[in-house]
Amino acid sequence: MSLKKLKVTNFKSFNKAEMQFGSFNVVIGANAAGKSNFIQIFQFIKEVISSGLDNAISMQGGINYLRNMNIGASKDFSVTAVFDQEMSWTGKVNNKLEKIKMHELIYEFALNFKQKSIDYAISKDRLHLRCEFFKVTKTRIGTYNDEKLGDGEIIISSRQGKINVIMHKPAHSHLDADHIFASFLREEQLPPHTLLAETSFFSAPLIRETFNGVSIYNINPRLPKAAIPITGKAMLEEDAGNLAIILKKILKNSETRRKFFNLLAELLPFVDNLDIEERPDKSLFFKVKEKYFSSQFLPAFLLSDGTINATALIITLYFEKQPITIIEEPERNVHPYLMSRLVNMMKDASSAKQIIITTHNPEVIKYATLEDVILIARDKNGFSSITRPHNRKEIRAFIKNEIGLEELFVQNLLEG
Amino acid sequence: MRRRKLYIFVEGHDDVWFFERIVKPHLVHYYRRVFIIQHARLSTKKKYNYIRSMHEMRADYLFVVDIDYFPCVRAKKEDIVGYLRIIDSRAIVVVIKEIESWYLAGIGNHRSRKLQLPVLESTDDITKEDFNALIPPKFRSRRDFMNELLKHYDITIAIQKNKSFAYFWQ
């Protein structure tokens, strides 16, 4: 699964923005350009799914801080996310097997605001699944053969809480919406301020699985320095506060342990060993043995921020299972000498999962390729705009004449 | 529609700030975008590569330099063309003597008295050292003082008080 495209209107510093993503994406921009607001789009949708729309809006500080302060109620807030998402469903129609393979998921919703009020209404809520339809036949030797019937799409939408399912299918397919979604589910009426993404309705698991596949990290190296209770999430938390728990799991398994130390040696060559200590009070902390001290481990609270940051980064890149990983300023506390290794590691990891990072560090930009870079900048009206510098001829002219991307960034020449 | 872009090369940070605050707001009416590039720490090869890029992309550029120890503008321009052969000499802007003289030029007599500055008829001969010596005691920070000057800057006065600024502006 990967995120192909994201569109947003009237959200924080964005008026109207659209961005396309590759496997490795370096989102750059000056301070207050809108990089964190870009991350907030994902946070907001994830919050909608986990806590509901009203709570998600409240977590953003309310309607007034969700939407752009200059645009206010004059324009809908909207978000559209397009994912490459593969999923299939096989069903029997008239005693014949048919299969639907989904390859693209588009989820969009919009909120309409009332003037001089903090109230809002859902003006759009739509899940669009692009699919291929197949006839499935059993071969002589008992295997199944898929014969493509054509392309189609399933559109699930909610209008004033009423759910509607439309299926566009190839002429030779006998499937219809009833075969996939029970009609009683389609008669469900969603309560006000409720999106398809947050209901128990059949479309929600698809949306939930997709957005839960997006993990966001903003590593705080101070948190893993403290001992933490042995009870905690099995996934690395956004701030890496539960790093000791995750490390314990990794170090227990010989294969993940081998892989972890191989990768750690590249970023932190002075680390000889790393271990977890469980205290009698049922708390955990991790400790590191440096090559310079043959027998003594250093407890986490004595480790440098860079050591903790690098350790957490390796986990986000190689050990967390979510297919889309967003990391805010991964280079924090990392020595410039290690930057090329860090960027190479992120590129390497992006062959298995989609990586999106935000940065304003020229050293990171120096080792990224032009095609990976997405620039967020404020336009003259104060709106954040999103561009890909490699599409611009003047940037290509600079690069051709050996002026590095990082220098163009430092000189503030990347803006269009 | 303003389609062209303008790149202004300036020497150091004080020049960047002056051009950002005073010059750029006027030029944005004539250009689609105005960029300011600091060139003091760029190698000759890098400057060459920048200018070659601008020729290739058909962008306009200005190359702003201090006159330094050169006797006249022409000599300074010849020196630059000598080591930066690609440059169009018409794009070279020579500041006499240093950007600090342009900072002071835009301050009228009334404001000068308010800032506890001597009333200067001309700032043509002002050097960086002169400027530093003129900073009133109440300004403990040079940057604070420079920002105060830009806050009260009057371009029509600057044109009268500094010949090189007047030449550049007109």
Side-chain angles (χ1 to χ4, degrees):
Chain A
M1 181 187 93
S2 66
L3 175 65
K4 277 167 79 174
K5 200 196 284 184
L6 187 70
K7 280 200 281 190
V8 68
T9 60
N10 195 12
F11 179 74
K12 293 189 178 279
S13 57
F14 295 99
N15 173 11
K16 189 177 177 186
E18 178 175 334
M19 63 196 105
Q20 300 201 354
F21 299 92
S23 53
F24 180 48
N25 308 272
V26 181
V27 180
I28 63 171
N31 292 323
K35 297 190 298 296
S36 295
N37 289 343
F38 158 74
I39 306 277
Q40 284 296 315
I41 302 169
F42 296 96
Q43 295 277 28
F44 177 63
I45 301 171
K46 283 171 77 80
E47 201 70 51
V48 167
I49 292 167
S50 63
S51 312
L53 185 55
D54 280 334
N55 281 320
I57 291 172
S58 178
M59 295 292 282
Q60 294 293 324
I63 288 289
N64 287 333
Y65 294 102
L66 173 82
R67 65 194 183 194
N68 184 275
M69 287 183 193
N70 284 339
I71 299 172
S74 63
K75 191 177 192 175
D76 282 8
F77 154 82
S78 75
V79 63
T80 305
V82 182
F83 291 89
D84 270 332
Q85 170 74 294
E86 288 186 1
M87 218 174 260
S88 65
W89 178 89
T90 307
K92 219 169 212 177
V93 191
N94 303 334
N95 244 357
K96 286 175 184 163
L97 279 177
E98 282 197 29
K99 185 191 269 184
I100 300 175
K101 279 188 191 167
M102 180 182 84
H103 55 87
E104 189 177 81
L105 178 150
I106 306 165
Y107 183 57
E108 52 187 331
F109 69 92
L111 307 179
N112 181 264
F113 306 110
K114 301 212 165 47
Q115 294 286 348
K116 293 180 184 171
S117 153
I118 54 159
D119 199 13
Y120 68 91
I122 296 168
S123 52
K124 189 185 237 182
D125 187 14
R126 198 167 85 135
L127 176 68
H128 190 148
L129 310 171
R130 291 191 203 278
C131 317
E132 289 176 310
F133 287 69
F134 296 87
K135 185 170 91 178
V136 183
T137 48
K138 204 169 182 179
T139 62
R140 274 187 307 111
I141 53 167
T143 56
Y144 289 94
N145 192 25
D146 293 348
E147 184 193 331
K148 188 173 172 182
L149 297 172
D151 294 318
E153 54 190 8
I154 301 167
I155 300 162
I156 305 159
S157 60
S158 155
R159 200 174 175 85
Q160 290 170 333
K162 191 172 170 356
I163 292 157
N164 187 30
V165 179
I166 300 169
M167 186 192 260
H168 299 295
K169 57 179 184 171
H172 298 294
S173 171
H174 297 96
L175 282 170
D176 59 38
D178 282 338
H179 291 110
I180 306 170
F181 309 116
S183 57
F184 69 87
L185 280 172
R186 282 182 278 148
E187 282 154 19
E188 193 178 331
Q189 176 75 29
L190 300 183
H193 291 190
T194 305
L195 291 165
L196 284 170
E198 53 179 305
T199 62
S200 55
F201 185 59
F202 50 83
S203 60
L206 270 177
I207 303 169
R208 192 168 294 155
E209 186 181 321
T210 303
F211 282 98
N212 283 344
V214 180
S215 50
I216 302 167
Y217 299 101
N218 190 354
I219 297 164
N220 179 352
R222 296 212 174 117
L223 297 177
K225 287 188 181 185
I228 55 159
I230 54 167
T231 52
K233 271 191 188 172
M235 281 162 56
L236 188 67
E237 281 170 3
E238 183 187 333
D239 55 17
N242 63 338
L243 185 61
I245 294 173
I246 309 301
L247 282 169
K248 186 182 173 193
K249 195 176 73 178
I250 290 169
L251 298 177
K252 242 184 192 171
N253 177 295
S254 61
E255 180 52 25
T256 52
R257 182 186 172 91
R258 179 199 61 74
K259 182 179 170 186
F260 175 74
F261 278 109
N262 269 355
L263 296 163
L264 193 69
E266 200 172 332
L267 281 188
L268 305 172
F270 57 87
V271 172
D272 190 42
N273 198 1
L274 189 149
D275 206 358
I276 303 296
E277 192 169 313
E278 198 171 324
R279 289 171 162 182
D281 65 352
K282 299 284 177 205
S283 67
L284 288 179
F285 72 93
F286 77 98
K287 54 189 185 177
V288 165
K289 193 168 91 178
E290 294 184 354
K291 283 182 176 156
Y292 318 113
F293 307 108
S294 56
S295 58
Q296 188 136 6
F297 276 86
L298 292 171
F301 66 86
L302 289 179
L303 299 178
S304 73
D305 288 357
T307 300
I308 291 175
N309 211 47
T311 308
L313 277 174
I314 288 169
I315 291 167
T316 62
L317 295 174
Y318 291 100
F319 292 91
E320 291 294 295
K321 290 192 174 67
Q322 288 86 343
I324 302 172
T325 296
I326 302 173
I327 314 172
E328 282 204 75
E329 298 178 18
E331 77 288 354
R332 242 181 251 156
N333 308 308
V334 176
H335 189 280
Y337 173 71
L338 292 177
M339 222 53 94
S340 69
R341 294 183 199 184
L342 178 63
V343 175
N344 270 331
M345 224 174 220
M346 291 190 284
K347 282 182 182 171
D348 176 55
S350 74
S351 62
K353 55 158 69 174
Q354 191 176 30
I355 310 278
I356 302 170
I357 64 161
T358 66
T359 185
H360 45 200
N361 188 314
E363 284 297 314
V364 174
I365 298 163
K366 186 172 169 180
Y367 298 110
T369 44
L370 182 59
E371 287 73 19
D372 298 331
V373 172
I374 297 169
L375 175 75
I376 300 188
R378 290 287 186 94
D379 66 18
K380 61 177 190 254
N381 297 314
F383 296 126
S384 294
S385 67
I386 297 173
T387 52
R388 284 222 175 238
H390 91 99
N391 290 335
R392 302 216 319 271
K393 67 170 189 179
E394 68 270 27
I395 301 298
R396 290 201 300 270
F398 281 132
I399 300 287
K400 186 182 143 222
N401 287 304
E402 296 171 20
I403 296 164
L405 194 56
E406 74 286 2
E407 176 157 348
L408 296 174
F409 180 63
V410 169
Q411 295 270 19
N412 211 15
L413 301 179
L414 286 176
E415 293 177 21
Chain B
M1 193 185 159
R2 307 182 310 268
R3 300 190 69 83
R4 288 181 85 87
K5 291 184 178 176
L6 172 69
Y7 293 86
I8 308 175
F9 291 88
V10 297
E11 291 202 345
H13 176 77
D14 291 343
D15 308 65
V16 171
W17 197 222
F18 181 84
F19 275 79
E20 282 282 357
R21 290 281 300 267
I22 304 299
V23 180
K24 193 172 165 179
H26 289 266
L27 292 173
V28 291
H29 301 300
Y30 306 100
Y31 286 93
R32 188 154 75 90
R33 278 305 289 257
V34 177
F35 296 98
I36 296 170
I37 304 172
Q38 236 184 101
H39 70 75
R41 292 185 181 183
L42 297 179
S43 64
T44 303
K45 186 172 187 305
K46 192 62 62 78
K47 289 175 197 171
Y48 180 91
N49 288 350
Y50 264 115
I51 293 169
R52 194 166 66 177
S53 306
M54 279 148 208
H55 288 173
E56 284 176 15
M57 67 177 87
R58 293 167 188 229
D60 289 345
Y61 64 93
L62 294 171
F63 196 85
V64 182
V65 287
D66 293 342
I67 193 155
D68 299 327
Y69 51 83
F70 287 89
C72 62
V73 168
R74 194 172 159 183
K76 179 71 185 184
K77 284 192 173 189
E78 280 172 2
D79 175 65
I80 292 167
V81 175
Y83 72 82
L84 212 54
R85 293 192 176 277
I86 196 170
I87 199 167
D88 179 345
S89 65
R90 290 169 302 177
I92 302 171
V93 175
V94 181
V95 177
I96 304 171
K97 295 205 167 193
E98 286 166 309
I99 196 69
E100 285 77 1
S101 68
W102 285 20
Y103 269 87
L104 284 171
I107 303 301
N109 296 348
H110 175 66
R111 181 59 59 182
S112 291
R113 279 188 283 273
K114 272 193 138 177
L115 289 172
Q116 298 167 346
L117 280 169
V119 173
L120 301 167
E121 290 306 314
S122 162
T123 66
D124 289 340
D125 297 325
I126 296 284
T127 62
K128 195 184 296 292
E129 291 70 28
D130 297 331
F131 179 89
N132 290 345
L134 286 172
I135 299 174
K138 76 166 182 171
F139 291 97
R140 292 191 165 199
S141 150
R142 187 174 187 268
R143 296 239 54 83
D144 176 26
F145 177 57
M146 291 181 121
N147 281 311
E148 194 65 19
L149 296 178
L150 296 182
K151 211 159 76 186
H152 302 291
Y153 209 82
D154 187 328
I155 287 165
T156 51
I157 294 171
I159 289 168
Q160 291 161 24
K161 287 195 177 187
N162 191 291
K163 284 191 197 120
S164 64
F165 181 80
Y167 185 76
F168 162 71
W169 196 262
Q170 287 159 352

